Amino acid sequence: MEIYEELKARGLVAQVTDEAEIRELINSGKAVFYIGFDPTADSLHVGHFMALCLMKRLQMAGNRPVVLIGGGTGYIGDPSGRSDMRTMMTPETIQHNCDCFKKQMERFIEFGEGKAIMVNNADWLLGLNYIDLLREVGACFSVNRMLTAECYKQRMEKGLSFLEFNYMIMQSYDFYHLYQTIGCNMQFGGDDQWSNMLGGTELIRRKLGKDAYAMTINLLLDSEGKKMGKTQSGAVWLDPAKTSPYDFFQYWRNVGDKDVLKCIRMLTFLPLEEIDKMDTWEGSKLNEAKEILAYELTKLVHGEEEANKAREASRALFGAGSSELTPVIEVPADMLTDGCIDVNSLLVLGKMVPSKSEGRRAIEQGGVTLEGEKVTDVKAVVTKEALAAGVLIKRGKKSFAKFQVK
């Protein structure tokens, strides 16, 4: 099976502008394609993960990825999927986030001579003359047509700023610039980016009379609005300092039954023939599939050693492994007051809850245990002496850790 047919078999292809031409370019290894990443945080999250996996697949098939870091568009903020305007970032924050992205991406994509390219659209967008841009690019866009784009329609009732209205033009200019400077002939993005991507494709054709192509990938678990990468505690990050390998493993281990095979097909590099055999799996076999998914993705992001540790720790939770593999959280001594610390603070420290209010709610609902005993008092504390030996706290059935004082 050739690579384009494999992408379709894995359920990755949502829309394309010219399937025959795109198939030919990708299967022959002649696609020079870009995907953009706006630096809205100092770490990539699992919402970016599919795009990184896609770039890796296409590079393995001989195509050339162009990673575009949105150091320029980050000044505006993409309105797609947003109910309100993004918080304005300082130039220093944007640059810091761009640097963090680059370090993480180098673990997935192979950069170098004749390989992947990393560019930052701040290099060409920040120096644009506004009047020149209006004359050269603005004349190619119909305001009436732009307002029909889904990314804008969602915001019209609550208010769309003129700043955000320019995002489509900026993203379209990116493709136009990359086409002219490095021969980039294709762009990929999530299904919610389709209007913006078409803008770039049409700009190239109108200005240069050349063919360029757009192709969107399905947003995994995302048909109802950017759910991917979100949990009760916030985003699931690729940076181990923000989301531990164990928490990353558990996120995928807890995927719903109806989504697990879809995730395996889209995100892992397991052979399709092997995945097809899982289509008939039910009941406890689906739990096995979830562990396979979690292990494969944790190995890809954090390495085989961390994936093995996370898998064994997860098995320990269900009585299938050693309790010595339970995640250990060190408690700073300065968090203790009069030699004690409340259980709720430990829940927050261990990232079992996003806030103390959520922690109180979990305790009140009977969902927290301390050394196997249900915690019933929201003011319950643990002593320094107990922490010296280590105490096991669980929230629900799937979140647990051992806490020890430093």
Side-chain angles (χ1 to χ4, degrees), residues 268-322:
T268 75
F269 286 78
L270 295 175
L272 282 170
E273 295 80 2
E274 184 177 337
I275 299 170
D276 288 341
K277 295 176 182 177
M278 301 179 189
D279 283 338
T280 58
W281 287 12
E282 297 178 351
S284 62
K285 292 290 286 183
L286 282 179
N287 286 329
E288 182 181 338
K290 291 177 186 181
E291 185 177 270
I292 291 171
L293 170 69
Y295 180 79
E296 291 296 325
L297 298 189
T298 306
K299 182 172 67 173
L300 186 60
V301 174
H302 297 294
E304 187 171 3
E305 182 178 354
E306 292 297 335
N308 287 332
K309 290 179 182 178
R311 180 171 61 185
E312 292 307 311
S314 180
R315 287 176 176 176
L317 176 62
F318 298 98
S322 170

Side-chain angles (χ1 to χ4, degrees), residues 179 203-211:
Y179 185 96
L203 178 62
I204 291 171
R205 292 176 178 177
R206 289 189 63 176
K207 295 291 294 183
L208 304 175
K210 303 287 187 178
D211 284 333

Side-chain angles (χ1 to χ4, degrees), residues 142-161:
S142 162
V143 171
N144 291 346
R145 186 172 179 183
M146 289 173 70
L147 289 175
T148 65
E150 195 63 33
C151 60
Y152 291 146
K153 285 197 300 182
Q154 295 174 2
R155 292 290 306 281
M156 291 303 290
E157 290 185 8
K158 292 189 176 181
L160 176 71
S161 71

Side-chain angles (χ1 to χ4, degrees), residues 143-359:
V143 171
N144 291 346
R145 186 172 179 183
M146 289 173 70
L147 289 175
T148 65
E150 195 63 33
C151 60
Y152 291 146
K153 285 197 300 182
Q154 295 174 2
R155 292 290 306 281
M156 291 303 290
E157 290 185 8
K158 292 189 176 181
L160 176 71
S161 71
F162 184 69
L163 175 71
E164 296 170 289
F165 190 61
N166 281 270
Y167 191 91
M168 182 185 292
I169 294 176
M170 295 295 98
Q171 182 171 331
S172 299
Y173 188 85
D174 284 343
F175 195 14
Y176 177 63
H177 175 86
L178 293 175
Y179 185 96
Q180 290 186 291
T181 56
I182 60 174
C184 180
N185 54 23
M186 196 177 300
Q187 61 178 324
F188 286 75
D191 209 13
D192 63 339
Q193 290 288 309
W194 186 240
S195 298
N196 292 344
M197 293 167 65
L198 284 181
T201 301
E202 293 177 7
L203 178 62
I204 291 171
R205 292 176 178 177
R206 289 189 63 176
K207 295 291 294 183
L208 304 175
K210 303 287 187 178
D211 284 333
Y213 307 95
M215 175 173 165
T216 68
I217 57 175
N218 277 309
L219 291 174
L220 184 62
L221 309 180
D222 203 16
S223 59
E224 298 177 6
K226 295 205 169 181
K227 290 180 180 177
M228 187 176 180
K230 299 295 181 181
T231 68
Q232 291 180 345
S233 302
V236 177
W237 306 99
L238 304 192
D239 183 349
K242 296 170 78 71
T243 297
S244 71
Y246 171 77
D247 287 335
F248 187 85
F249 182 98
Q250 284 299 99
Y251 171 77
W252 296 108
R253 175 62 180 78
N254 294 330
V255 162
D257 290 355
K258 65 182 179 62
D259 292 316
V260 58
L261 291 180
K262 179 180 178 182
C263 291
I264 290 175
R265 198 175 294 278
M266 286 184 166
L267 293 175
T268 75
F269 286 78
L270 295 175
L272 282 170
E273 295 80 2
E274 184 177 337
I275 299 170
D276 288 341
K277 295 176 182 177
M278 301 179 189
D279 283 338
T280 58
W281 287 12
E282 297 178 351
S284 62
K285 292 290 286 183
L286 282 179
N287 286 329
E288 182 181 338
K290 291 177 186 181
E291 185 177 270
I292 291 171
L293 170 69
Y295 180 79
E296 291 296 325
L297 298 189
T298 306
K299 182 172 67 173
L300 186 60
V301 174
H302 297 294
E304 187 171 3
E305 182 178 354
E306 292 297 335
N308 287 332
K309 290 179 182 178
R311 180 171 61 185
E312 292 307 311
S314 180
R315 287 176 176 176
L317 176 62
F318 298 98
S322 170
S323 61
E324 295 178 359
L325 295 169
T326 299
V328 176
I329 306 295
E330 291 188 342
V331 183
D334 59 10
M335 287 187 67
L336 276 65
T337 303
D338 297 329
C340 297
I341 184 172
D342 62 281
V343 172
N344 200 1
S345 294
L346 294 177
L347 290 173
V348 175
L349 177 64
K351 297 182 180 178
M352 294 174 162
V353 294
S355 65
K356 285 195 171 183
S357 61
E358 182 68 23

Side-chain angles (χ1 to χ4, degrees), residues 31-66:
V32 181
F33 66 97
Y34 95 88
I35 299 179
F37 301 81
D38 273 354
T40 54
D42 60 0
S43 172
L44 298 163
H45 55 70
V46 298
H48 299 115
F49 188 51
M50 177 180 286
L52 293 172
C53 290
L54 177 69
M55 298 183 98
K56 184 178 180 71
R57 291 185 202 280
L58 289 168
Q59 185 175 46
M60 291 169 62
N63 298 284
R64 192 176 193 187
V66 179

Side-chain angles (χ1 to χ4, degrees), residues 374-389:
K374 185 176 293 185
V375 179
T376 57
D377 184 355
V378 295
K379 295 181 180 179
V381 298
V382 180
T383 66
K384 183 177 181 179
E385 291 73 22
L387 286 169

